[in-house]
Amino acid sequence: MERGDGATLVHICDAGGRARGTGFVADDLGTVVTSHEAVDGLRRVVLLGPGGRTCVAEADAITPLPGAALALVRGAGLGARPLPLADRPCVEPGTYVRIAAGGWRQARVLGPADVTYTATDRFHPLGGVLELAVGTEGSEALRRGGEAAGGPVLDATTGAVLGVLVTALHAERRAAGFAVPLAAMAARDPGGPLAALLRRSAATVPAYGRDLNLAGVLELAAASGDPDSGASAWPEPVERAQAARAHELFAASPDALLLGLVGEPGSGRTTELAALAARRARGAEPAPSVWVRGTDLRPDDTSVADGLARALRRAGRTVAASGRPGLWDESAAATPERVAALARAAGRPLLVLLDTPEEPPPAWAEGTAAWLRAHGARLAVARRPEQWERTCAPYPAGEVRCVRLGDLTEREARWARARYGLPADAVADADARHPLALRLLAEVREAMGGGAVVRARRADIFAAYLDLVCLRVAVRVADASRPPARGTAVRRLAARVAGRVHEAARRCPDPELDRAAFEELFPWKGGWASAVLAEGLLVPAGTGYRFGPEELGDWLRAAHLDLDAALRAPVDDGRTADLAARALLALPDARAYAGALRELADRIADAPDVAPAAFGPDFWSRLAVGEDERLDLLRRLVASGSPRFFDAAAARLVADPRGVQPLLCRWFADERPLPTEPGSRTRSVRTTVAGAAQALLYAHRGPALDDLCEALVTTAHPRAHELLAALAEDEPSALCRAVDRWAHDDVRPARRAAAATYGRLVAPHATAAADRELLRYAALALLARPGDHALHDAALDLLAREPHGPGLPGEPEALLRAAALGAERWPEARVRELVRRAGALMVRTPEGATRFDRHLVELAREVPGFAALVAGWLAKAPEEWVFLVGPSARRTVEALVTPMPMRAASHRHGSLRPA
């Protein structure tokens, strides 16, 4: 098809139906561009579009521009395809064009000319119009008053409009024809209607090749598609609030260059990239987002611009295949730099969407950051956590925004299940919020006709989905055979497909299956390769193919990888490390590899500088092992000196302080020295793994202080004692609570001993009344146990600090015992007061009075000197004790200290306590 043949013209007539000229639609609003002579002197014009459609334009719909020999007419419903307007400041002599002059004809631009436009009211001098060379028949059609007036002048290559034919132009010398250049005329009045039309056209009518405009960029971006993500037609079920907010902040930040959607395969990274592109495309001013696939990247790329160039060429071929003119011949004109410049000039910065690329060369990230800054573009990248750090390293904090993607929230998961039609109990609890598990289960369930599914696990879902896709591939292969296979033959074919899929997993320990192996397993002949690719079971990646969805591939490879051998490979073998890591993370239970993992952790600690990124902190944090095993692995890794492993341990502690505190206390036995700085080979004898654990527990003590005290007292290690001593000074309330708990422990004597030890330590720092009362309770509890006599000195010390505290109902016996034991070291007044208070609490009931008498007598007999002390009180102030001490108890106490002749005399005095 020759350029220009596809252009739709609009014929312009007066109210009487007489032809006045031609025009063309130039924007999405139906604005018709024509020459001024076509509307000159008319108050109303009739526009005739294709298929007999008409539109009557009154005077208010006509914008005459006689100074430019042009006119704009507001049309509606004409059904004419808009033509793109070239924004070239000048048109080079020799440019070949197409014009509508008695049919579409080829012409050539000779150069600029100075002419005069003759309107009905006056003459208008015009400079810089285009002089055209055209054949004789074309020259005849360009005479004044012909229907060619107002027709477009199209670039023969791109199909964009360079100018408008005007027949009422005169020059000093005769010419075949003239055209008014649109861009040059618009530049003379940047705020005028013609300039506004060019801007609107550029944003809504795509042009390509050297006339590429913003609308063309938007169409190329849309044609770049989203990455190969499988054949599923299921949409993302819900908007994820965290990601949506990050998108908004990223778009609003003038400095942000990099947005990271960081998560494991299956967490919805690709879906969120697609959501971001959709938001930009739906905006009031759509902005371009170009997808760059794994197949667009090469090992020797220096920046994302290299992959972007390949993505744009691929998109160009797609658009060219749709019949757009001007693209295929000049696809190289859509360079990354030009695309970025057009988007930047329109105030709609280009966003490059990069989905799950493999680890690029070291210089790639730096080159990408420099290219983005230079061209005002932005990058949104979906990465695994272990890849993210290297990706974001070249950007300062203000240029980076990161979203950590994991499982859906409970609310999002409910919405997802509702949209997928899944029952609430369809997925096991551990996977009930996993985005990929929910989507794949929905596909499987739909294929089953909506059959019931209850508490399916992720591995079961993956297995069922794999069976489903293998069956779909088999159906495609069967349909391509002659004659087509049916029934049992298709099921047998599905089994063969599954066997080849598993063989592919065995052959690609890393994510990529090389092209030769792919074509051997899935030959193009017979439709195997086409079927596998059509169903998204494998997708192009790099120079080969990878499984898609990505997490399904990890799960498949894990079933066929010799993990023990992979883990014992050299620590700097990055390629082997990346499979083993992915395979291990895909396992529902990695405890079987605990020995190899411990060995690997020790080797990383010894050679941290060459450890691959795949075995970074996120790997160890996500392994499906018990928490005790995980903390032991992190202990080994912390010895490398990397603060990232220390931070990983801190994250576990913050997430579950009660569970992790005892596990960190086990680190106290590890006195290996740490490097003075991360990566340093010089070690310090003062900083050890045990010291790091102490620092970590102290720094994050706040959320679970009571649990920390319990963990430390259980550990019974000098490091634990040091930390408890620090807590006594800095967190006295927590330690007072602990001392009180330990003093009342009826089962573990070691806890009561700890109460005595740490009660003394914390007492000087316990200033709050509630804390002092707890210490008194603890002291009395210790004193109440005669068998714990070794702890009584410490308990008495505690009571000596607070002898006049509030009463302690329920423990007066312990108070009485404390007074007796403290008689040798306390002032007599303090001892007497404690005895009086104990008696006052007990004699309120007859039973209590009896107990008081009995305990007083027992202590008088047991504690040396106490009987004499009590007898002295009774003799000096009998009126104070008459209601406390019974006559029998008094006689017994006196008998313990009075010589025999005196006893008889005392008996004659009778009882001091009324009956």
Side-chain angles (χ1 to χ4, degrees):
M1 182 181 70
E2 293 183 320
R3 300 295 185 208
D5 292 351
T8 305
L9 301 182
V10 176
H11 296 281
I12 300 175
C13 304
D14 62 16
R18 291 180 291 276
R20 293 294 298 263
T22 305
F24 59 92
V25 175
D27 64 7
D28 60 331
L29 301 179
T31 304
V32 175
V33 181
T34 186
S35 66
H36 182 266
E37 61 189 289
V39 300
D40 192 12
L42 300 180
R43 297 180 57 84
R44 173 186 300 157
V45 297
V46 179
L47 307 178
L48 304 178
R53 298 178 183 178
T54 63
C55 173
V56 178
E58 302 292 344
D60 61 353
I62 302 172
T63 303
L65 302 171
L70 300 173
L72 308 179
V73 183
R74 195 165 63 245
L78 292 173
R81 180 171 65 84
L83 298 181
L85 306 182
D87 194 23
R88 304 184 199 177
C90 65
V91 180
E92 297 85 352
T95 299
Y96 283 93
V97 296
R98 301 287 296 174
I99 62 172
W104 285 103
R105 303 179 184 279
Q106 182 170 292
R108 189 163 58 90
V109 176
L110 295 178
D114 295 330
V115 298
T116 301
Y117 167 56
T118 305
T120 56
D121 59 343
R122 54 167 289 191
F123 298 108
H124 298 273
L126 293 175
V129 300
L130 306 178
E131 182 180 349
L132 305 176
V134 65
T136 303
E137 293 183 4
S139 298
E140 292 296 323
L142 291 177
R143 288 184 177 180
R144 182 171 184 172
E147 290 191 22
V153 177
L154 306 179
D155 183 278
T157 302
T158 69
V161 178
L162 301 176
V164 176
L165 294 172
V166 180
T167 62
L169 297 178
H170 301 279
E172 293 183 356
R173 59 185 178 83
R174 183 177 178 80
F178 294 103
V180 175
L182 288 176
M185 291 300 161
R188 298 178 182 181
D189 184 12
L194 185 58
L197 175 65
L198 259 71
R199 289 191 293 270
R200 190 164 60 249
S201 177
T204 58
V205 185
Y208 298 100
R210 65 176 302 180
D211 293 314
L212 181 69
N213 59 8
L214 177 63
V217 169
L218 290 169
E219 194 165 66
L220 283 175
S224 69
D226 75 10
D228 307 293
S229 55
S232 171
W234 287 94
E236 169 66 5
V238 294
E239 178 178 86
R240 301 176 74 168
Q242 175 197 16
R245 178 59 178 159
H247 294 172
E248 294 172 0
L249 294 174
F250 180 69
S253 171
D255 300 321
L257 294 182
L258 177 65
L259 173 64
L261 297 171
V262 181
E264 293 300 323
S267 61
R269 301 171 310 192
T270 301
T271 301
E272 287 308 315
L273 279 181
L276 174 57
R279 288 188 189 97
R280 287 168 57 87
R282 290 194 304 262
E285 293 186 340
S289 306
V290 179
W291 286 93
V292 176
R293 304 180 184 180
T295 51
D296 295 319
L297 300 179
R298 300 289 184 272
D300 57 349
D301 286 352
T302 59
S303 77
V304 75
D306 299 313
L308 178 58
R310 299 179 191 106
L312 289 171
R313 284 196 292 271
R314 185 187 69 248
R317 289 190 290 271
T318 301
V319 175
S322 70
R324 292 292 193 186
L327 180 63
W328 183 250
D329 293 342
E330 282 196 40
S331 59
T335 64
E337 293 73 21
R338 188 149 181 243
V339 167
L342 286 166
R344 186 180 196 177
R348 311 179 196 184
L350 171 68
L351 178 65
V352 182
L353 305 173
L354 185 59
D355 187 44
T356 58
E358 296 304 314
E359 195 66 29
W364 186 91
E366 289 79 1
T368 294
W371 189 88
L372 294 174
R373 295 186 190 105
H375 298 283
R378 297 181 172 191
L379 175 65
V381 59
R383 305 291 326 246
R384 291 176 181 256
E386 67 269 17
Q387 299 170 331
W388 171 242
E389 186 171 333
R390 185 174 296 178
T391 301
C392 69
Y395 303 85
E399 293 181 350
V400 179
R401 187 166 297 278
C402 176
V403 183
R404 299 281 177 175
L405 293 176
D407 285 349
L408 302 171
T409 65
E410 287 290 351
R411 185 179 185 186
E412 291 165 351
R414 284 197 302 271
W415 288 349
R417 289 193 297 269
R419 294 192 184 183
Y420 285 151
L422 293 174
D425 60 348
V427 183
D429 291 344
D431 301 314
R433 296 184 290 117
H434 187 63
L436 183 63
L438 292 174
R439 180 173 70 79
L440 296 187
L441 180 59
E443 290 198 40
V444 172
R445 188 168 179 267
E446 183 185 50
M448 295 168 56
V453 179
V454 179
R455 306 194 70 76
R457 297 177 303 170
R458 193 183 314 184
D460 299 330
I461 295 170
F462 285 174
Y465 178 77
L466 182 61
D467 291 343
L468 173 62
V469 177
C470 288
L471 179 60
R472 288 174 175 170
V473 171
V475 170
R476 288 180 181 270
V477 174
D479 288 344
S481 64
R482 292 293 178 267
R486 292 291 182 267
T488 303
V490 175
R491 289 192 290 274
R492 287 198 299 267
L493 188 57
R496 291 176 60 197
V497 173
R500 297 191 184 192
V501 169
H502 283 283
E503 179 61 24
R506 279 189 288 271
R507 294 195 188 185
C508 59
D510 57 29
E512 189 176 308
L513 180 68
D514 65 70
R515 188 172 298 275
F518 173 82
E519 292 178 352
E520 177 187 343
L521 293 170
F522 309 106
W524 293 99
K525 185 177 180 179
W528 284 74
S530 299
V532 166
L533 294 174
E535 288 298 333
L537 185 54
L538 282 101
V539 297
T543 58
Y545 299 85
R546 66 168 173 83
F547 284 100
E550 195 175 356
E551 187 181 12
L552 180 68
D554 290 348
W555 171 77
L556 261 175
R557 288 194 306 278
H560 299 286
L561 182 64
D562 184 352
L563 283 174
D564 275 315
L567 288 173
R568 291 184 169 92
V571 73
D572 58 347
D573 186 351
R575 192 173 181 85
T576 301
D578 288 346
L579 317 199
R582 294 184 184 185
L584 279 165
L585 291 177
L587 292 175
D589 188 348
R591 287 176 294 182
Y593 301 96
L597 287 167
R598 287 192 288 269
E599 181 181 331
L600 174 63
D602 289 337
R603 287 188 287 129
I604 290 176
D606 290 336
D609 296 338
V610 296
F615 292 135
D618 189 73
F619 166 79
W620 303 96
S621 297
R622 295 183 57 253
L623 271 174
V625 296
E627 200 66 6
D628 55 345
E629 181 66 30
R630 190 187 323 279
L631 266 293
D632 181 66
L633 292 169
L634 288 174
R635 174 184 64 81
R636 299 167 186 267
L637 292 160
V638 162
S640 69
S642 170
R644 298 165 60 227
F645 293 116
F646 188 80
D647 292 342
R652 310 301 298 189
L653 177 60
V654 170
D656 180 20
R658 177 176 294 179
V660 174
Q661 285 168 345
L663 303 179
L664 275 174
C665 288
R666 297 179 186 177
W667 292 21
F668 291 163
D670 190 342
E671 292 292 348
R672 285 179 296 168
L674 300 178
T676 54
E677 295 179 359
S680 170
R681 309 308 300 175
T682 304
R683 296 182 178 269
S684 166
V685 298
R686 294 184 299 273
T687 306
T688 65
V689 174
Q694 268 188 324
L696 194 57
L697 289 166
Y698 182 81
H700 298 282
R701 64 190 186 277
L705 271 171
D706 290 345
D707 296 306
L708 176 58
C709 293
E710 295 301 320
L712 292 171
V713 76
T714 301
T715 303
H717 188 277
R719 291 275 189 177
H721 174 74
E722 291 174 5
L723 193 47
L724 280 170
L727 293 179
E729 182 175 349
D730 298 334
E731 303 288 350
S733 294
L735 203 59
C736 286
R737 293 193 298 271
V739 168
D740 181 55
R741 288 194 304 272
W742 300 337
H744 288 84
D745 193 311
D746 296 327
V747 178
R748 295 171 290 186
R751 285 292 191 276
R752 300 195 293 274
T757 300
Y758 294 105
R760 277 176 162 172
L761 279 177
V762 75
H765 308 288
T767 58
D771 294 342
R772 295 196 301 269
E773 183 173 351
L774 286 173
L775 293 181
R776 292 184 68 242
Y777 270 116
L780 293 171
L782 294 176
L783 291 169
R785 298 177 183 274
D788 286 347
H789 57 84
L791 309 179
H792 290 172
D793 283 348
L796 291 172
D797 285 345
L798 292 179
L799 286 177
R801 293 178 180 273
E802 191 71 18
H804 300 295
L808 302 173
E811 296 195 21
E813 293 92 340
L815 191 65
L816 182 60
R817 183 173 183 80
L821 295 175
E824 294 182 350
R825 67 180 70 185
W826 292 349
E828 182 180 348
R830 180 178 300 173
V831 176
R832 184 173 65 248
E833 177 62 21
L834 287 178
V835 174
R836 285 175 56 82
R837 294 182 63 203
L841 291 170
M842 297 178 73
V843 300
R844 295 173 180 173
T845 64
E847 296 82 2
T850 300
R851 291 203 319 274
F852 177 72
D853 284 350
R854 183 175 70 251
H855 284 297
L856 188 66
V857 169
E858 289 174 354
L859 289 170
R861 288 173 174 162
E862 177 185 338
V863 180
F866 185 62
L869 196 61
V870 173
W873 299 337
L874 295 175
K876 292 178 182 177
E879 67 281 359
E880 295 182 13
W881 298 92
V882 65
F883 292 102
L884 298 179
V885 182
S888 176
R890 177 183 177 181
R891 286 194 296 271
T892 302
V893 170
E894 289 176 341
L896 291 173
V897 297
T898 305
M900 187 64 68
M902 294 293 295
R903 293 182 187 175
S906 65
H907 290 168
R908 291 194 293 270
H909 292 289
S911 173
L912 292 176
R913 182 161 57 185

